[in-house]
Amino acid sequence: MHRGIMNALNAAAIRAALAVHDRGRRLAAALRERGDRGSGVVETIIIVAGFAGLAFVVYMAVSSKVHGWIGKIPGASGP
């Protein structure tokens, strides 16, 4: 049951990060079309935020796997 909850949480986190990333791409494209001064800074911030979100999702997915592997090691839970 615990694994199913973690998989559901990971899937939800991935969907949320992808939605944020997609929204950032669309916003950056809209800013490029307007040609506003300083839009390069805004685009950079959006891109960095998108990658930070994706990095968080990857961290969460890897973290749960590592904790699962550690949990399988005999004596890993403490003395």
Side-chain angles (χ1 to χ4, degrees), residues 7-45:
N7 287 340
L9 289 175
N10 285 339
I14 289 170
R15 281 194 302 270
L18 291 175
V20 168
H21 181 66
D22 183 55
R23 174 72 177 141
R25 282 189 317 114
R26 284 189 274 131
L27 184 57
L31 288 173
R32 273 194 303 275
E33 290 173 4
R34 284 195 335 202
D36 289 345
R37 292 183 65 138
S39 66
V41 173
V42 174
E43 290 171 4
T44 302
I45 291 169

Side-chain angles (χ1 to χ4, degrees), residues 44-62:
T44 302
I45 291 169
I46 291 169
I47 290 169
V48 169
F51 279 114
L54 289 174
F56 176 74
V57 169
V58 169
Y59 165 77
M60 291 300 293
V62 170

Side-chain angles (χ1 to χ4, degrees), residues 58-71:
V58 169
Y59 165 77
M60 291 300 293
V62 170
S63 175
S64 67
K65 293 289 184 184
V66 170
H67 286 295
W69 293 333
I70 290 173

